[in-house]
Structure formats: structure tokens, C-alpha cells
Amino acid sequence: MQPIRTFNVSPSLPPQLEPLRKLAYNLHWDWSVETKDLFGRLDADLWESSRHNPVLMLGTISQERLHEVAEDDGFIAQMERAARELDDYMREQKWYRKNREQDKQQECYAYFSAEFGLTDCLPIYSGGLGVLAGDHLKSASDLGLPLVAVGLLYQEGYFSQYFNAEGWQQERYPINDFYNMPLHLERDENGQELRIAVDYPGRQVYARIWRVQVGTVALYMLDTNIEPNERYDHDITDQLYGGDQELRIHQEIMLGIGGVRMLKALGLVPKAYHMNEGHSAFLSLERIRNYMQEDDLSYQEATEVVRASNVFTTHTPVPAGFDRFPPEMVMHYVGHYANTFGLSGEQFLALGRENSQDLGSTFSMATLAIKSASFYNGVSALHGLISQDLFKGEWPNLPVEEVPITSITNGVHARSCVAKTTQELYDRYLGPKWSSALGDDPLWDKVYAIPDEELWRNQDRCRSELVVFVRERLQKSLRDRGASIAEIDKAQELLDPTVLTIGFARRFATYKRGNLFLRDLERLKRILFALNSDSSGGLGKKGKVQFVIAGKAHPKDIPGKEMIRDIIHTIREEGLSEHVVFIPNYDIYVSRKMVSGCDVWLNNPRRPREASGTSGMKASMNGLLNLSILDGWWDEADYGRTGWPLGAGETYEDAETQDEIEANALYDLLEQEVVPLFYQRDENGVPRQWVAKMKDAISLNCPRFNTSRMVGDYAQRAYFAASDRYNAMTQNKYAPAKELAGWKEKLVNGWHHLKIEDLNISVPSDVRVNQTIGVKALIKLAGLTENDVQVQLYKGAVDSEGEIVNGATVTMDYQGKDSANRSIYTADISYNSSGFQGLSLRVLPQHPYMSNPYETGLILWAEG
């Protein structure tokens, strides 16, 4: 039965409890111990059953309980403290105000992402990408950045996981009730829903706008589940990563194009646009269209403005990870932009093709993002190198090490992932600023002043809390499945709160090898049950080990689901259930329990498939030790002091050989180092050497792998520069953009007439280390000027393939022209090491408005 009228019913609070509403609707509560304690105090059971959703809680709690706490002076005092904390936080003079020139602070940055993992009561994320995006917003708020975020609000979000009796992953899609979540529906000045429209073939699709307040940062999300949209269009914002390619391109059009239109409807004018992965890359098309139609710019001029202010972050280490669409699908859905731009179909499709001459290739969203941005980065140092190789085709003839993709290593939001008691411990000994302090801050030396006994007692407590949580979660899962009373009762005995606990939790993709630890079952059993110890002095009962595992496979990833099923079967059939448990429905809340309650965090992907990984960072912040393949973030950590490396960064041609070697390496480390160190206790029961490694993990990894550091890096290396480039391009009615576009047209027309006519080297082929070598070049610029180009020498060691590797550049000096009108360039070089060395010469474009000399893709090398 359809209603004839609808109402949005808000919680009814006694006047003295009104601050609770303000607290509930700002997600600052998610990283405020005081505020979370307050809501837990209001009704502990309801706080848990609502998935820690204060808005739902306030809407369903009894009026009797509200009136009761309204008369409770202790509760009122705590509420007022929490409200003051939020007020102070919102007014605080933050990092941005101190680190950005005052005359540039009237700016805004837009951060686009397909998912955001902020808290467990907003299930609009699938995994690491979303949680990273959520932490990005939280730290942007902590730092005071003028950032707004753009996403889609999914009616069903990502699935809830449960297992059938055979251990096969099943998916359930609970409906998100937006009116009982910490969301604000945006309205216009007349109180009507604020809506935008996006063009799709033969129709317009409408979306309304919801806002989540994340501290000082607003996250705006589009929702198409409204009239008068067609039924199919309602489902555009139905499921995250659901449906087929048709639905995916619908979603990415709404995210990118709709997101730009939403910002305009909200009256926001960002000066930097950050694409968190390529899902939102269509935003560039809409931005170009806006400049052309509203500011009367040409396509080339509009492109210069957009490229100058776009930032792209890739999280993918393999080509298969990028969204690609068939050319005919792209033309069907967004081909009208080609007409607007004055481009042919093939010219338009070239925007998403690595090789524009390959007319049969698909349209890559990552390539579109690369071609429409001026700053590009991977998410760890190793991933930056992988990305240079992955995208080298975008800069042909450029040495791969010079491909202008850098890296900004991911981080995690400390106050969100560190356990309450551990935060209180850090606050007590380090002071309240530890959560954002950088590595050079002397407060990190204070970690070593924390009494060993106190840190270890806290770890024991967190492990005990994890064991209780696991038992309760598994019992509930069994009850929901209709298991027997005996099975449910047995779950109450799983795990031991005193035993070394190893955690593994991540998306179950096969390359992450969640089953590697099961490769040699007999050896694993000896480790789990402490059967390696002997009566003469072995570890005995105190040498046992237990594993806590969690993670979801994508609903369409059958190999990933089979891996989960095989793990569950092995646990049952091999009698491991008291020592190895698989927690269903991994989410932010489960993650927080695991990264604080385990002792060791295991990660064993196939290197270099893990772009970054962040769960190990969270574990380290809680004092856990990592045991991991040297991939992603762990490759740049101090893995000797803060855990153990699995291998030495090897790569393998044969997967079976790799699994055999690395599984044995895992067992060796457990038997010979990890287990003995954990159970090596003094007379007070404290494992002093283990605790020393915990302190190293905290002091070395907390400041380095923190989103406060990460977002600060994005601000100083990407946002500030992009905003400055936007200001430069748009001043004087876009005069610089027009100048740059015109100059590039001249450059392209003249470039192929450039000629390196002579190269004179002052010495023979045998030289000594540090000997000065004079070099003179004669260049025919063919209509270009000396201001349009830079001439460089490129020197370095020559490898067995006859190629210069890891070359260094020396810019040559312009000396005027000779009688034949050739431009003269000179430079002196030397080699600081002996061996077989090489030298070449190249010509690159240069212009003060270009973001880098490789922007045009043009480069002329001397021929041998």
C-alpha cells in the first residue's frame, strides 16, 4: 500500500538533552572516546544492536529512559563535556591555517570516491579503498583542510556476509534507512529537496543530495532512488560494485558528472579536484563542458584549466584492476560530449586509450584520469614504482624512472582504530597530541617510558575483549543459521585469552593467499598445539598459537569464495575449531576489535600485488607486531624492529614454488622467533623483549603511517599546487589558459621540424672519474624559440641491453645562434663512478604554465 503523504519523524528529546542531537549528527563521535562512552551509557544494549548508530538509537530509545537521564546530573555533565569537546574541535585553529598562505585560504578542494568507510552504521563501503577515503576525510577535518567530499549514497550498500552449513559465503543486502542514519537531506531556500539532473541516453536521471558531517568536512552523496526516475535508474545508487558493466557506467557517470553538478548546485567552487581511483574520471568531461559553455573557452583552453587542477590517485597494481568500457558503450552514454568538444569519435575515445592509435582498445577510466590531471600518485613507495611501469605508455620515449607518477604512502586515522584503553594509555604518557604528531616530534621518545607491565596488561585486556567478542559473534551467527544448541554452546569455549593470537583480515582475493598458513597442516598443528616442545624445556602449554580470520570475497569472485569455504572446511575437518576461527561479516567494527586484540598481524600477498594495505598499520598503532611479505607499506617500514619480514622481497615465476617457499618461511618464523619471543616471560609474567618490539611498533609506525601525515602530504604536494595552478590559469579571464593552449598548438605544429644537427664532445671515449667533459650541441628550432624548449644531457651507467639506466640529467645553457641560424647549447659534465657509462641528449618543451615538462608527451632524443 502506497502512502498518500510521508513524514520525516525526528527523535523527541527533552530540552536539556538537545545537545545529543548535535552530537549524533556529526561523525566526530566516531573518534571521540568521550562521546561514544556517552551513547553507550545512555543504553548499552541499544548502542550495540543499532550498530553504534546514535540517530537510530535516539529515535528508538524509550521516552522513559530519556527522562531518566535528563535528571541524572552525572550524565548531563558528561554530555556537556562531549558537547564542549565538539564545539572546541570545530573552532580550533588547525594545521591548515598555519601552513597555507593567508591570502590563499579562500579555497576549496573536492575529493571524489566511489565509497567511504566512516563508521559501521554507514555501510556504504566494501573495504580498504573506502576505509582509506573515510580516514582521509577525518584527518582532513583534524587538519582543518577546506575539503568537501563527493560520493554516492547506496540504498543497499555492500553486502552483509553469512555462511551456510557448508561454509559457502552467502550475501544479504539490508536496506539502509537513510532517515535513521546520521545524514542530512539538503534542501533549497524554499525547503524543497535539492536535486540535480544528469543526462543519460533518451532521458534525464534525477538525484537528491544527502550530507554526512565528518567533523568540519562535509561529505555530499547522490541518491537516485526517487521519483520521477524510472525503476532501473532507482537502482543506480542501489548497490556498491553490484550489477554489470551497464550499471557500472551508470554509476560512474552519476559520480563524476553528477558530482560536479551537485557541487555547482550547492554553490561550491573547488579549486582542486581529487579523483580517488578512476571511478569518478568522467568529472573531467563535465568540467570541460562547463568552461566551454559558461566561460566561452575553447576545448583546448578548458582542458588546460581542468588538467591544472585535477589530482589522480591510483590504488591498483595490475592493469586488470582498472574499469574499462567498450568503445561503443562509452559513445552511447557520453558520446554527446564529443560533439560539444568538437572532437571526432576516435579523438574522444583517445582520451581513455593508452595508445590512441589502437582503435580496437577499450576505454580506461584510469587513462582518462591520467590524461586529465597534473598530479598523479600511487599509495606506497613500491606502488609508485609499479605505477610508473604500469602507465609508462602514457609517456612514450621517457625512461620509466622519470614517468611523473610519484607516491604518497597511505595511512590510517589513529583515533578511529586504536582501542579505547590504548588511547587512554597513550594520552596518559604521551599527551593528547600523539594521534597527529609527526615522526620528528620528541613525544615519541616517551613511548619507551610507558611501564612494560602497564602496556602488557593493556594488551592482555584487549586480547580478552577480542576473545569475548569472537565467541559472541560466532554464537549469534550459529543461532541465525539454526545450528544446534551443542554447536552454539561449544562456541563459548573457542579461543584462549592467554594464547598468542595471530590475526588475518582482508578482502578474500586469491592473490592475498588467506589460506597460505594451512599449506602444511601437520606442521601447523604442531605450532597451534605446541607439539614442538619437549619435556626437557620446551614451551609446553604456554607455546600454543591461535588464529582469528575474517574477510569477504566479492559476490562474483568464485575463487575467493572457494578459498573461504576451504578454510572453514579445513577448520572443521582437522579439529582446529578451538584454535582457528573465521569471523563472519567483516566490517569496520570487527576490524577495530581484531587490530587491537590480536598480538601479531599476518599479511602474505603475492608481491607486488598489494598496493599499500592499511590493516597492518592499524595493528601497529595498537602495538601489534606485523608478520608480512615485503609489499605495500610494509616494504618501507622498519620491519626488523616492528615485526618480521616474510622473505626478502623476492618475486617468483611459479606460484606453486612461491607458496611452498613462503609457507615454510612462515612456519620457520613462528617456530623459531615469534612463538618463543611471546612466551619468554620474566618473574612477573611480562615478555620484556616482546614489549620492546611493541614499543618500537608504536613509536616508529604511528607517526609515519598516519593519515594526518598522509593528508598533510596531499595538501602540500597536491592540493596547494593544484589550487595555485587553478588560480594561475583562471586569472585575467583565463588569459594564461588561453596562452598555454595556443602555445601548445604552436608547439605541436613545429615539434616534428626540430632537428639535433650536431653534437660535439670534447674528449675521447676513455675518461677518468670526475674528469670534466665539455659538450656542445647545435639545434635547429624550426620556428620555435629558445624559451619554448630545454635541452638536456642524459647520462648514466649502461646495462647489458645497451640502455642507460637510472640516468641523471644536466640542463644545457643556451649560447645564441651560429651563422646557419642553429641554436647553440653547451654544458660540462663528469662521471663520479667508473665503469661503462653512457651519454645522450634530448629536447623537451618548457613553458611556465606547464605542471611538468612531460605534460605534452613530446620529447626528441639524439640518434646514435
Side-chain angles (χ1 to χ4, degrees), residues 94 351 546 702 789 793 864:
K94 297 185 170 71
L351 297 175
Q546 59 196 12
C702 268
V789 300
L793 296 173

Side-chain angles (χ1 to χ4, degrees), residues 397-425:
N397 301 319
L398 191 65
V400 67
E401 65 270 13
E402 287 191 281
V403 168
I405 297 178
T406 184
S407 65
I408 294 178
T409 300
N410 283 345
V412 295
H413 188 254
R415 291 285 182 183
S416 295
C417 68
V418 176
K420 173 190 171 184
T421 57
T422 310
Q423 287 193 46
E424 292 169 343
L425 184 68

